[in-house]
C-alpha cells in the first residue's frame, strides 16, 4: 500500500510485518557545476510538491493516466535528490529514470538482481543523488525536456518514451527481520553528527555534474527480500509552466546557484558510511554524455549558472537517525 502524506510517498506492508514501512521524498537542491570537479553532497532545500495524478487525469496526457502514480514539478535544468526515511525496517528499493536503472543502466525488470546489484538497501542508504557511474561517484539527476536527447533514457535506448521516475519497494522477509532484531537487541550503536519525441512538456532525468556519494552493497543478501510483496509508484515530472496550468499552484522557485550558495557561507555535506562496501558503478552509466557536454555538441547552452565554485564548509553526518540534517533550509 502506498499513500501520499505531506509530499512524501509512504510504502506500507502490514501483511508482511506491522513495522514494515518506508518513506521516500524528492528533495529540491542546488545543481552542482558540471565542470569535471567531484563535489560533496549539496543540501536539501525542501521537498518537491507531489500530487495524485488521478486528480488531474483530464488535464494530462492520456498515457500518464494509464500509468497512474503522482506528479511533481521541476524547472528545466533543475536538480533533485531522493531521500529515504529511516523507519528501522530494512527495504530493498529500485530506482529508475525513464525505466533505466539508476545503478546499472539496464532496462527496468520487475524483480531484484544481485549481479549486478540493481537496488538500494534501506536504512543503510540514506540518499540517492544521481546515476551511479563509479565507485563513490554519481552523476547528479538533472531535469531536461524529454525528446531533446539529453536524458539517460534517450541516450541508452534511442527513445523518449517514459520519462519521470519509477520506484519499487520490497520489504525484508518477516522471519529475517525478526532474526535480525533478535541479534540487534542492545546493539543500537549511536554515532554523533560532526560539523565539518515525446510530449514537449514531459521531463526526464539527465546526468549532470559529478558528486562524491557511495551506493552500498547489500549486506543481507538477495534472499532477505520478500519479492512476493512489492509496491511500485511512477513519479511523472511536469515542467513548471504545465504544473501551474494543471494544478493551479505555483511551483517552487528555482534554488540559488551553487556559487551563490557557497559564497553565502552555507554548508555542503558528506555521509560517513562506516565499514559499508560501495558498489563499483556501471559502465553504461559512466558512458553517458552529460547535459553540459551534449549541449556543447548541439551548439546549445542548456545549463545556466554553471560556474565552478570552491567548497570549503562541509558537514559530516555520521548517525543514521540524523540523515535529515542534510535537509538544510537557509
Amino acid at each position: 500500500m502506498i499513500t501520499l502524506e505531506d509530499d512524501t510517498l509512504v510504502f506500507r506492508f502490514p501483511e508482511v510485518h506491522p513495522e514494515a514501512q518506508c518513506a521516500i521524498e524528492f528533495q529540491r537542491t542546488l545543481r552542482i557545476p558540471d565542470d569535471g570537479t567531484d563535489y560533496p553532497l549539496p543540501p536539501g532545500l525542501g521537498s518537491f510538491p507531489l500530487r495524485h495524478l488521478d486528480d488531474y487525469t483530464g488535464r494530462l496526457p492520456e498515457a500518464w493516466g494509464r500509468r497512474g502514480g503522482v506528479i511533481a514539478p521541476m524547472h528545466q535544468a533543475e536538480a533533485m535528490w531522493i531521500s529515504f526515511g529511516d523507519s528501522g525496517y530494512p527495504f530493498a528499493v529500485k530506482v529508475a529514470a525513464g525505466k533505466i536503472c539508476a545503478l546499472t543502466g539496464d532496462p527496468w525488470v520487475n524483480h531484484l538482481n544481485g549481479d549486478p546489484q540493481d537496488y538500494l538497501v534501506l536504512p543503510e542508504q540514506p540518499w540517492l543523488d544521481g546515476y551511479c557511474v563509479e565507485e563513490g561517484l554519481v552523476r547528479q539527476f538533472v531535469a531536461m525536456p524529454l525528446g531533446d536527447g539529453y536524458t539517460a533514457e534517450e541516450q541508452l535506448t534511442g527513445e523518449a518514451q517514459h520519462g519521470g521516475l519509477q520506484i519499487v519497494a520490497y520489504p525484508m522477509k518477516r522471519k529475517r527481520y525478526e532474526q535480525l532484531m533478535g541479534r540487534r537487541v542492545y546493539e543500537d550503536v549511536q554515532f554523533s553528527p560532526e560539523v565539518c519525441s515525446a510530449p514537449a512538456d514531459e521531463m526526464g532525468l539527465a546526468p549532470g555534474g559529478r558528486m562524491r556519494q557511495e551506493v552500498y552493497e547489500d549486506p543481507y543478501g538477495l534472499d532477505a527480500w520478500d519479492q512476493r510483496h512489492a509496491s511500485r509508484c511512477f513519479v511523472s515530472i511536469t515542467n513548471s509552466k504545465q504544473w501551474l496550468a494543471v494544478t493551479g499552484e505555483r511551483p517552487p522557485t528555482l534554488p540559488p546557484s551553487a556559487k551563490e550558495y557557497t559564497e553565502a557561507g552555507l554548508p555542503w555535506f558528506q555521509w560517513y558510511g562506516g565499514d559499508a562496501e560501495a558498489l563499483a558503478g556501471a559502465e553504461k552509466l559512466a558512458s553517458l554524455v552529460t547535459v553540459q557536454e551534449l549541449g556543447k555538441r548541439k551548439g546549445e547552452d542548456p545549463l545556466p549558472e554553471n560556474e565552478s565554485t570552491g567548497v570549503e564548509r562541509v558537514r559530516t553526518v555520521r548517525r543514521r537517525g540524523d540523515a535529515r540534517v542534510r535537509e538544510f533550509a537557509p
Side-chain angles (χ1 to χ4, degrees):
M1 176 177 64
I2 307 174
T3 58
L4 179 56
E5 303 174 16
D6 297 325
D7 298 324
T8 301
L9 293 176
V10 181
F11 295 75
R12 292 186 175 89
F13 297 85
E15 70 278 18
V16 175
H17 193 282
E19 298 176 15
Q21 71 173 55
C22 70
I24 300 177
E25 296 179 344
F26 305 92
Q27 280 283 322
R28 302 170 57 234
T29 191
L30 313 177
R31 190 186 70 243
I32 63 173
D34 183 3
D35 59 1
T37 300
D38 298 342
Y39 284 89
L41 303 173
L45 301 175
S47 299
F48 283 99
L50 301 177
R51 300 293 179 266
H52 288 289
L53 189 146
D54 289 346
D55 294 340
Y56 306 101
T57 50
R59 308 179 200 175
L60 291 166
E62 185 177 341
W64 292 25
R66 289 196 297 269
R67 66 198 186 197
V70 298
I71 54 174
M74 292 186 74
H75 297 272
Q76 180 170 322
E78 187 175 7
M80 75 149 56
W81 56 269
I82 305 172
S83 175
F84 304 106
D86 181 6
S87 69
Y89 198 100
F91 274 82
V93 175
K94 295 185 66 168
V95 176
K99 291 196 173 181
I100 295 297
C101 178
L103 304 191
T104 66
D106 293 329
W108 181 274
V109 292
N110 291 321
H111 58 267
L112 299 175
N113 285 315
D115 186 18
Q117 182 179 316
D118 62 359
Y119 57 93
L120 308 164
V121 176
L122 279 55
E124 282 74 9
Q125 191 77 39
W127 313 297
L128 182 67
D129 284 67
Y131 298 102
C132 183
V133 296
E134 296 178 30
E135 183 176 339
L137 289 172
V138 301
R139 284 278 185 185
Q140 190 176 35
F141 291 134
V142 176
M144 293 297 290
L146 197 62
D148 287 357
Y150 287 98
T151 67
E153 171 186 2
E154 293 166 89
Q155 292 191 47
L156 292 175
T157 70
E159 298 181 352
Q161 183 178 1
H162 302 290
L165 279 163
Q166 299 81 43
I167 308 285
V168 62
Y170 300 85
M172 179 173 276
K173 293 176 180 176
R174 181 183 186 118
K175 184 175 181 180
R176 286 292 298 272
Y177 174 71
E178 291 176 346
Q179 290 173 343
L180 182 68
M181 289 300 99
R183 292 199 304 269
R184 283 188 175 176
V185 173
Y186 307 120
E187 293 183 7
D188 185 14
V189 179
Q190 296 294 314
F191 298 94
S192 60
E194 176 186 340
V195 176
C196 1
S197 61
D201 45 15
E202 186 169 359
M203 306 287 278
L205 294 176
R210 289 164 60 98
M211 189 186 311
R212 295 189 294 273
Q213 182 177 69
E214 293 183 331
V215 177
Y216 298 118
E217 293 183 1
D218 181 356
Y220 306 110
L222 194 62
D223 186 59
W225 311 110
D226 191 339
Q227 296 194 54
R228 298 173 304 167
H229 297 91
S231 288
R232 179 178 175 183
C233 185
F234 206 114
V235 183
S236 298
I237 302 173
T238 73
N239 64 25
S240 54
K241 186 180 297 184
Q242 185 187 32
W243 175 267
L244 177 60
V246 169
T247 67
E249 304 174 29
R250 293 193 176 277
T253 57
L254 277 168
S257 70
K259 185 176 182 179
E260 291 169 336
Y261 178 89
T262 303
E263 289 180 348
L266 299 171
W268 295 63
F269 298 86
Q270 62 185 4
W271 169 256
Y272 174 72
D275 296 329
E277 297 290 332
L279 296 178
E283 291 185 8
K284 288 182 181 180
L285 297 174
S287 68
L288 294 175
V289 182
T290 69
V291 174
Q292 179 72 359
E293 179 59 32
L294 187 54
K296 287 182 179 179
R297 297 181 188 180
K298 294 162 63 101
E300 300 174 353
D301 185 18
L303 294 184
E305 299 181 314
N306 191 50
E307 296 88 353
S308 300
T309 184
V311 177
E312 297 181 358
R313 187 180 175 194
V314 180
R315 288 182 177 175
T316 299
V317 182
R318 294 177 176 267
R319 187 171 62 190
R320 301 193 195 287
D322 283 350
R324 294 185 67 93
V325 168
R326 186 183 168 194
E327 298 173 22
F328 177 80

